[in-house]
Amino acid sequence: MSDSGRKSGRKAQPLVADRRYGPKPAGKPKAKTKAKPKPKKAAARKPAARKTTARGSKTKRGGNPIVRFFRAIFGWVFGLIWAFTWRIALMAGLVVGLAVSYVYSTLPEFTALLDGRANGSVVMTDRRGEVFAWRGDQFGGVVTADTVSPHLKNAVVATEDKRFYRHFGLSPRGIASAVRINLREGRGPLSGHGGSTITQQTAKLLCLGVVYDETQWESEAAYEADCRQGSLWRKGKEAIYALAMEAKYSKDEILSIYLNRAYMGGGAYGSEAAAQRYFGKPAAALSPAEGAMIAGLLTAPSSLAPTSNLQRSQNRAGVIIGLMQDQGYLSSKAADNARANPATLSPAAQARAGGYFADWVMSSGPEFFTRNSTSDVIIRTTLDQRIQQAAEDAMNHIFSEKVSKGSKAQAAIVVMSADGAVRAMVGGRKTKVTGAFNRAVQAKRQTGSAFKPFVYATALELGWSANDLVVDEPITINIPGSSPWSPQNYDRKFHGTVTLTEALRTSLNIPAVKIAQEAGLENVRKVATDFGIGSDLAKGPSLALGASDTSLLEVTGAYAGILNGGSSVRPYGLVELKMQGDSDPLMTSTGGIGERVISEDAARELTWMMHVVASEGTGRRANIPGWEVAGKTGTSQRAKDAWFIGFTADYVAGVWMGYDDNTPLTGVTGSGLPAEIWHETMRRVHQGMTPRPLPMLRGGRPARNAAPDPFIDDTRTGIDDLLRGIFGGN
């Protein structure tokens, strides 16, 4: 720098080299300034070695431009997706939130959702007040998660939704697990296991708030099928409904709805009905084994019901006990005890007594309170479970001991009191059934000679005596509009002059036809009808031989009229009907005795004649040692039906045997197997009872002075006799 430059006082500009390698020594420092330390001379730096790639290519600072390009592309795409996703998620969240809010606003108080049955229930009790049958949709009463047995509550949570108290209504983990299992088992992701929480299951039980309306649905079955569908759209609606329920109700309230509405087999809806149905106790008193068994029904209520297969139900309960133990609800000792002592059915549930009887009561009772009941009804009946069991045991004994295993023959039994109160009813060989064809009521069959007591009842009422005589001889009757008819006895023989008692004792056909003709067929028809045989009776002389079709219940009821002294009987099973919770009954029935049909003397004399049948005649196999028995056998034409109807001083019983397709019985008549079934039934019925004599006129009244009029081959009726009595003539 020149002297002039220094003189001017301007600062000299450093050279480029000076800036790179440090400043050169300065001139004389200005006054009053502190001298700066002389910097060290920078060492000469070697140029940095240039990096090369594996192929020797150079890489500029910031990385490979191709990598930077793709990184930028991916970042842009990801950002775009993220921006789109969070907006969609936000919109979806808003839509779900609005949907949940709407459903929330429509939900009623949880107490209004506890009983969702469309139909009511009918509970039947026997003559002693013990429950023996259930019909309809049983509810049993409201329970809550706090009032049921803790063992039941824990069993339901353990088996249906172990995270119930920890999730918000949906369980993503459970859904993912269910989808994985379904795919592994070769099904669709939504087919089979659903992964539904208890809240979701409750939403489904509520049909997502859709109430059944018979005007909107083809049937209730179609409505229920729609409620159970598992489409993706339906699952979405179910999830929203579940979320709304979680917001509206507490966990225990949701569980209470579930415990009250879930179907648990055997017609039982809710845990209280199931506890009463299977164990005869309230849901609050269930043991761990019983609670586990009821919880096990939720998977498959019909097939796992203990009344269908007790062993299978117990096995399922054992699995649930293991779950309860694993989840800490049961100690090892309590779990072992529950497995060692599995739940068993109550005596009523185990016996399933009176299936045919209960069906008959339901069909014969008022429709509004039985078949179409929308309320819960309690019916007290005439059934005696001890007698019912006696009839069932007798049926099973005879068919197991004296009927070939391959036989398809059927039988039916009715036992009643003299006033028509039915104490037992068996409608077929399968005694533990519900809704089956009831041969005691629904089958209309020819009675054969079991009809003859009504012929003799008519004669006795008209003044004949048990000791009057009738001639058993060949006869031919001209029937207008038909060919002549010549009846035959069973043994194809003729026995000459016999008393009415002898004719009935040996069940002779010709004397019965002659007496019916003499007494008047219309009179015989009227007596039988008034005694309670309401079927369409035959018009011609074959009426006397039981050519009409009728039911076992009707004939047995008619015989009850003979026992009670000659008054008609209406067989009945319903004693009292009332609504559940009410103390006063809506209807009652105090007895089935109606108007008098024949005089008491005629009834007592007929009882004597029928006692001779049982003690000395065709009904000897029915006799019960120590008891007086009266009865009559019956075998229809070509042996398609075999009967024995009889009574003691306490009970009347009727037995029918035959094939459903009218195939003739082989080697069976009323004096054979039917009489033996009757004997086995009544022997059990009267066990432990004190024998009482029959109300009968022993020996009968003295014979009339004159022998019976010779048989006149005509078809005159009771009306003809009445007219002749007024105007004269033969």
Side-chain angles (χ1 to χ4, degrees), residues 355-357 388 392 395 410-414 424-431 433 436-443 552 656 660:
Y356 291 106
F357 177 89
Q388 177 70 32
E392 293 177 5
M395 171 87 75
Q410 283 289 348
I413 305 171
V414 172
M425 180 179 289
V426 181
R429 290 174 62 178
K430 291 183 179 179
T431 57
V433 294
F437 180 67
N438 190 343
R439 296 162 186 84
V441 177
Q442 295 171 283
L552 176 63
W656 166 87
D660 288 337

Side-chain angles (χ1 to χ4, degrees), residues 53 57 59-60 62-69:
T53 62
S57 62
T59 304
K60 295 182 179 180
N64 193 311
I66 298 176
V67 174
R68 291 203 310 273
F69 172 76

Side-chain angles (χ1 to χ4, degrees), residues 519-548:
L521 295 179
E522 287 299 324
N523 289 334
V524 174
R525 189 177 296 107
K526 185 177 187 308
V527 166
T529 301
D530 289 349
F531 265 127
I533 299 181
S535 302
D536 187 20
L537 297 175
K539 302 292 185 182
S542 62
L543 168 73
L545 304 184
S548 307

